[in-house]
Amino acid sequence: MPKLEPYSKKLPYSYALGAFPALTLLEARPDAALRLLLHPAGADSAGVQKLRERCAALGVREEWAERVLRRESGKDNCFAGLVFSKYESDLDPAACHAVLCQISDGGNAGTALRSLLGFGIRDVALVRPCVDAFDPHVLRASMGAFYRMRVRTFDSFDDYRAAFPERPLYPFMLDGSKPLDQVAAQAQKPFSLVFGNEAAGLPAHFAQLGQSVRIPQSDEIDSLNLAVAVSVGSYAFMRGAKTD
């Protein structure tokens, strides 16, 4: 078998690190699994045993790879992982979307994905320049949520808009014209929730592209963390919006 390289965006494969995320990948995308990586210290754990049984049934090769697991995770207690082929996803035009524009932090992106799935949004557009969706740091932060979602990267917001021209947009902005609870209660599914970069947010012209939304907060802070804003916003919209 070829040597496994340190993760790079240019590689055709990535790493699902940890027994639970790896099991989630096998449930959601079994055809993508290539190799099972094992650490001797975790060989007897129930999660690893379940992973080995599932991989054996699928014909996925297993190997001892303590050094690779440590290198990719940056930890000594990552006892299993899967090497898997990267794959393309198409967003469902009939579903609600989240659009994450120019997100630069992998932890933020992964945590946002986990929250979105938890509140019922499976379709996510990433707009460049942005994190690599298949970076193991993003995948690990999502705790397996990524593998149950449809995530697609677009070169620009205009490209996303051209692909889905009719749906209502709700850009989240610090100076949004209406508060979250009011807008969420009036929204019609399917919609797109749009969030900006962690530091800069969305450019001012996004207020002209849809109904801008603000999350009310005290003046004791300047803004919410991106993943927190995504969590609050997606919960409110999915709970309050109406279905056609």
Side-chain angles (χ1 to χ4, degrees):
M1 296 292 286
K3 177 183 176 182
L4 292 171
E5 300 292 334
Y7 180 75
S8 164
K9 183 184 292 189
K10 297 179 180 179
L11 290 174
Y13 59 83
S14 186
Y15 299 91
L17 302 171
F20 177 76
L23 282 167
T24 304
L25 171 63
L26 289 180
E27 292 171 1
R29 298 274 186 171
D31 55 313
L34 298 174
R35 295 158 72 173
L36 172 61
L37 309 180
L38 299 171
H39 190 303
D44 296 330
S45 74
V48 171
Q49 287 300 319
K50 184 177 180 180
L51 189 55
R52 295 180 75 178
E53 291 170 4
R54 181 68 174 138
C55 283
L58 292 170
V60 177
R61 178 182 185 271
E62 69 173 48
E63 58 192 78
W64 299 106
E66 178 180 353
R67 187 177 65 167
V68 175
L69 289 169
R70 182 182 297 112
R71 181 190 73 203
E72 297 304 322
S73 70
K75 300 178 180 179
D76 292 321
N77 62 347
C78 180
F79 297 144
L82 279 171
V83 182
F84 70 97
S85 297
K86 294 178 181 178
Y87 50 84
E88 288 285 340
S89 295
D90 291 321
L91 305 188
D92 182 352
C96 295
H97 297 174
V99 185
L100 307 182
C101 297
Q102 302 184 1
I103 307 306
S104 61
D105 183 86
N108 271 335
T111 303
L113 292 176
R114 187 182 185 193
S115 294
L116 288 165
L117 182 62
F119 297 131
I121 297 179
R122 292 179 176 269
D123 294 78
V124 178
L126 297 176
V127 176
R128 293 188 174 100
C130 64
V131 296
D132 171 14
F134 286 96
D135 188 306
H137 183 45
V138 176
L139 301 176
R140 190 68 183 266
S142 84
M143 289 300 293
F146 176 88
Y147 311 117
R148 298 189 185 279
M149 304 176 77
R150 292 175 289 268
V151 180
R152 190 170 189 88
T153 302
F154 293 82
D155 287 333
S156 68
F157 184 80
D158 287 343
D159 287 348
Y160 169 78
R161 192 61 174 147
F164 303 97
E166 301 300 327
R167 60 177 46 233
L169 299 176
Y170 295 97
F172 280 68
M173 309 176 76
L174 287 176
D175 58 352
S177 63
K178 291 186 178 181
L180 173 62
D181 54 351
Q182 179 181 337
V183 179
Q186 298 172 351
Q188 291 284 141
K189 298 178 181 178
F191 48 71
S192 293
L193 309 181
V194 187
F195 300 88
N197 171 268
E198 296 94 334
L202 292 171
H205 74 271
F206 271 76
Q208 309 304 316
L209 301 180
Q211 174 57 62
S212 62
V213 184
R214 70 177 184 275
I215 300 176
Q217 62 184 52
S218 77
D219 57 8
E220 300 296 323
I221 60 172
D222 58 351
S223 65
L224 295 172
N225 169 272
L226 169 73
V228 173
V230 170
S231 299
V232 172
S234 58
Y235 171 78
F237 266 84
M238 295 304 286
R239 183 171 179 264
K242 303 175 179 63
T243 303
D244 285 335

